[in-house]
Amino acid sequence: MPERLRGALATIREQLGQMTATQKLLIGSLAVILVMTLFVVGQYAGRPAMVELLPGATAEEMSRAEVTLASAGISAESRQGRLMVTASDQHRAMVQLAANRALPADGEQILYTNLSERQSWQNSRRQNEQLFVIATQNELSRMIEKVRGVRRAEVQLDVPEANGIGRVVRTPTASVVVQPESGSGLSQGMVDAIAELVAWSRAGLDVRNVRVIDAATGRSRRPSDPDDIVPSTYIEHASRIETMTREKLLDLLGYIPGVQVAVTAQVDVTRVNRETRSYLPEGEGTLNLALRERNQSENQERRATSAEPGMRSNQSAEINTGGGSGTAYERADDEIEFNAFPGQQVERISDPRGMPTRVAVSINIPRSYVAELIAFTRPPAEAGEGEDGAPARAAGPTPEELEEAFAEVEPRIRQTVLPHVLAMSAGGGVTTAEEAAAQLAVAMVPLDFAVPGMTGSPGGLFGMIAGGGSGGGGDLGLGPGGLVSQVLVLGLAGFAVVMMLLMVRKASKRVDLPTAAELVGIPPTLETNTDLVGEAEEGDAPMTGIEVGDDDVRSSKMLDQVAEMVRNEPQVAAKLLNRWIQVDDY
């Protein structure tokens, strides 16, 4: 291929050499015109085909659509009052406009802002109410779409018309279709929030009559009923109470290494709504007002004549008819009707409860803790020697001693834990310490844990190195704070510092570099005391001098290298010779 190209270029060079300067300028101009033509064709051919996106849309609608497409990363151009996009992006642009409600049809939605423009006195009452319901649906859809995690929402309200007497009453219902941004679906908390928003936006609409459709999973979700008892709520609340109680008891018993605490709780998550109505006594809220009052009174009296006073005037009087006589009549009717207004006091209590009703606690004390308490309180035994001559080790506590010591430890642990068990079980009617004690169990288990500050170590050098030592002296062990560990840390730090200093010293040491004469290969000058180097002896035949140049030396070295390459790597030498040797055709 290179030979053919070389031959073609040689032919072109030969033909151009036979042309005049004018002909060469003409050919150059034609080449420039050809290149420019190809560039223009490439510009138009490489541009994608543009199609109109929203035919018949107004300038405002096209401006809103262009802003929406720019935010979505879709290029759009406005040409002569038309919105143009590439043919490959047409479908994606329509989807983005529909998702962001930027289509011309979406701009004509009935909302509260333009509801008055749609209502007219020529419309019937039912038509105006239907327009109001549609505006409410659209407003709710826009409000739900502002919730984080919601991409699209559609609300449908079924509000029946008020019926007359004797007709069946229909309750209003609603349904919401929600498309979340992620494909994981809606959480129960989001479903409850959306349902309550829709229910409280319409009078008479119960939250239990609202259904939320999850478009991601295709499931119908129902809002939570406050009166329902969800098993998961019970389990979660019981687990929370158990964890809180266990952590509190572990903090109290943290001085016991390896203590085990198990808590089982029973909780009451039933919601209780209580209403109490009482009437207030008169004068403290109760009023008696006179509604009607009726009074009737009659009085009748008759006076009788009598003689003059004195004895003469009564001489002719008889016993049966003598003395004055008269009639007296009196009547009184009082009637008062009162209207009583009794004072009422209504107390509504909503108790979410959630308190624990019963808490059972089990505490396991390791046997090693009790044994160390016995060893700590036991007086030190006299040192003796064993069979092999080594110091005798103190004997461990017997089971009887462990039981006696645990009998002393158990009441203290119960005294510490029992008030908390009683407080946690008060909601279930446990009021006495005896009842709470039945829910607390303390036992000793055969587990062994090292107790810091109590456990001794074997004597001797190895015991001291392992972290033992006597109780009164310092700790010489390898553990944290031990003398040996501190010495090891200091030794490692000193070794690191020494190594660093050696590396710095080695790096700063001056290296003797060769001189320029040594790099070139000039031999050093010999130092002699006299100018006489030596005497040349006479030979039988004169020596022939040959002048050798740099090119000859280079050629000789190259021949030696080529010969060595031919002997060692003949294939590589053959490829190299093919590149060097050029055959001329005559």
Side-chain angles (χ1 to χ4, degrees):
M1 185 65 184
E3 291 76 7
R4 295 182 181 180
L5 181 59
R6 193 180 296 107
L9 293 177
T11 304
I12 293 173
R13 191 181 302 109
E14 182 182 357
Q15 296 295 332
L16 289 176
Q18 298 177 0
M19 294 182 181
T20 60
T22 304
Q23 293 175 347
K24 292 180 180 179
L25 290 175
L26 179 59
I27 292 176
S29 302
L30 292 176
V32 172
I33 293 174
L34 180 60
V35 171
M36 294 299 297
T37 303
L38 292 176
F39 177 75
V40 173
V41 171
Q43 287 291 325
Y44 281 96
R47 180 177 300 178
M50 307 294 287
V51 295
E52 187 176 1
L53 185 61
L54 300 176
T58 61
E60 182 180 358
E61 294 171 349
M62 287 191 298
S63 176
R64 183 175 57 182
E66 188 174 359
V67 172
T68 303
L69 294 178
S71 62
I74 300 176
S75 60
E77 298 178 2
S78 181
R79 298 179 182 177
Q80 299 178 358
R82 297 184 302 173
L83 186 62
M84 309 295 291
V85 296
T86 60
S88 59
D89 293 338
Q90 182 180 9
H91 179 70
R92 191 160 63 98
M94 293 297 294
V95 171
Q96 289 293 333
L97 293 178
N100 292 276
R101 296 183 180 274
L103 292 175
D106 295 334
E108 300 177 1
Q109 284 186 343
I110 303 177
L111 302 172
Y112 289 157
T113 55
N114 57 5
L115 179 61
S116 59
E117 301 175 0
R118 300 300 183 94
Q119 292 180 342
S120 174
W121 62 273
Q122 299 178 353
N123 298 339
S124 62
R125 178 173 176 271
R126 182 176 178 80
Q127 289 177 344
N128 290 332
E129 290 181 353
Q130 189 66 25
L131 290 175
F132 179 76
V133 171
I134 294 175
T136 304
Q137 294 178 169
N138 295 333
E139 290 289 348
L140 289 175
S141 300
R142 297 180 62 183
M143 293 173 64
I144 295 173
E145 289 176 353
K146 295 180 181 180
V147 178
R148 183 177 61 182
V150 177
R151 178 181 300 174
R152 186 75 181 271
E154 292 288 343
V155 179
Q156 294 294 330
L157 298 176
D158 182 12
V159 183
E161 186 179 1
N163 297 327
I165 301 175
R167 296 185 180 181
V168 179
V169 179
R170 294 174 52 204
T171 57
T173 59
S175 61
V176 186
V177 180
V178 181
Q179 181 181 2
E181 292 182 352
S182 61
S184 58
L186 300 175
S187 61
Q188 186 62 36
M190 187 177 294
V191 172
D192 296 341
I194 294 174
E196 291 182 2
L197 173 64
V198 176
W200 284 94
S201 64
R202 189 69 184 182
L205 180 58
D206 193 356
V207 69
R208 290 173 291 188
N209 294 332
V210 180
R211 294 294 180 269
V212 179
I213 311 301
D214 191 349
T217 59
R219 294 175 54 192
S220 175
R221 303 291 297 275
R222 178 180 300 180
S224 301
D225 192 348
D227 298 332
D228 293 341
I229 301 177
V230 184
S232 61
T233 304
Y234 174 84
I235 296 174
E236 292 174 0
H237 193 63
S239 177
R240 189 180 301 113
I241 294 295
E242 293 172 356
T243 303
M244 180 183 64
T245 307
R246 184 176 182 273
E247 292 178 354
K248 184 182 298 183
L249 296 180
L250 286 176
D251 292 339
L252 290 175
L253 304 176
Y255 61 91
I256 303 177
V259 64
Q260 297 178 350
V261 178
V263 180
T264 302
Q266 294 180 359
V267 295
D268 186 6
V269 294
T270 306
R271 184 182 297 272
V272 177
N273 296 323
R274 186 185 302 108
E275 181 176 346
T276 304
R277 187 185 300 272
S278 59
Y279 294 92
L280 302 177
E282 186 176 358
E284 297 182 5
T286 300
L287 299 177
N288 289 325
L289 302 179
L291 180 63
R292 184 173 56 185
E293 183 176 358
R294 179 183 178 183
N295 298 325
Q296 184 179 1
S297 178
E298 295 182 3
N299 188 11
Q300 183 179 358
E301 294 182 359
R302 183 180 179 182
R303 295 179 179 179
T305 59
S306 60
E308 297 179 358
M311 299 182 59
R312 292 182 57 187
S313 302
N314 297 325
Q315 289 181 356
S316 59
E318 298 181 357
I319 297 176
N320 295 331
T321 59
S325 63
T327 302
Y329 175 79
E330 184 178 356
R331 180 182 177 182
D333 295 333
D334 294 329
E335 183 180 352
I336 301 176
E337 184 178 352
F338 291 92
N339 190 5
F341 295 93
Q344 299 182 6
Q345 182 179 1
V346 180
E347 183 179 1
R348 295 182 177 88
I349 300 176
S350 179
D351 187 5
R353 301 179 73 84
M355 77 286 290
T357 59
R358 184 180 178 87
V359 175
V361 179
S362 298
I363 301 175
N364 293 333
I365 306 299
R367 182 181 57 187
S368 58
Y369 173 74
V370 181
E372 293 300 332
L373 286 179
I374 297 174
F376 185 74
T377 57
R378 179 182 296 176
E382 296 182 359
E385 294 184 357
E387 297 179 355
D388 54 353
R393 299 179 60 182
T398 62
E400 291 76 11
E401 293 176 346
L402 290 175
E403 293 295 338
E404 293 177 1
F406 179 72
E408 298 177 0
V409 174
E410 182 183 6
R412 294 197 296 267
I413 296 176
R414 284 183 172 273
Q415 186 179 3
T416 304
V417 178
L418 195 59
H420 301 277
V421 177
L422 181 60
M424 297 293 290
S425 303
V430 178
T431 57
T432 61
E434 291 76 10
E435 296 177 354
Q439 302 174 192
L440 176 61
V442 181
M444 181 177 61
V445 293
L447 296 178
D448 295 331
F449 292 92
V451 182
M454 293 185 181
T455 304
S457 299
L461 178 62
F462 293 101
M464 296 176 62
I465 296 177
S470 60
D475 188 5
L476 302 178
L478 294 174
L483 181 59
V484 177
S485 61
Q486 296 180 1
V487 172
L488 288 177
V489 171
L490 292 176
L492 291 176
F495 179 73
V497 172
V498 172
M499 292 297 296
M500 182 184 65
L501 293 177
L502 291 177
M503 293 176 62
V504 172
R505 181 180 179 183
K506 185 176 180 180
S508 60
K509 185 178 180 180
R510 185 176 181 181
V511 181
D512 296 334
L513 299 177
T515 61
E518 292 177 353
L519 291 175
V520 173
I522 301 176
T525 305
L526 299 177
E527 297 181 0
T528 56
N529 296 328
T530 60
D531 295 337
L532 181 62
V533 177
E535 296 180 357
E537 298 180 354
E538 183 178 357
D540 295 338
M543 297 179 60
T544 304
I546 302 175
E547 185 179 357
V548 180
D550 295 337
D551 295 337
D552 297 334
V553 174
R554 188 181 300 107
S555 300
S556 178
K557 290 183 178 181
M558 290 178 62
L559 288 175
D560 296 339
Q561 293 176 358
V562 169
E564 184 178 359
M565 183 181 296
V566 170
R567 288 193 303 269
N568 298 333
E569 298 179 357
Q571 296 180 355
V572 177
K575 293 180 180 180
L576 183 61
L577 292 176
N578 288 332
R579 294 182 181 179
W580 286 355
I581 299 174
Q582 181 177 2
V583 180
D584 296 334
D585 298 333
Y586 296 100

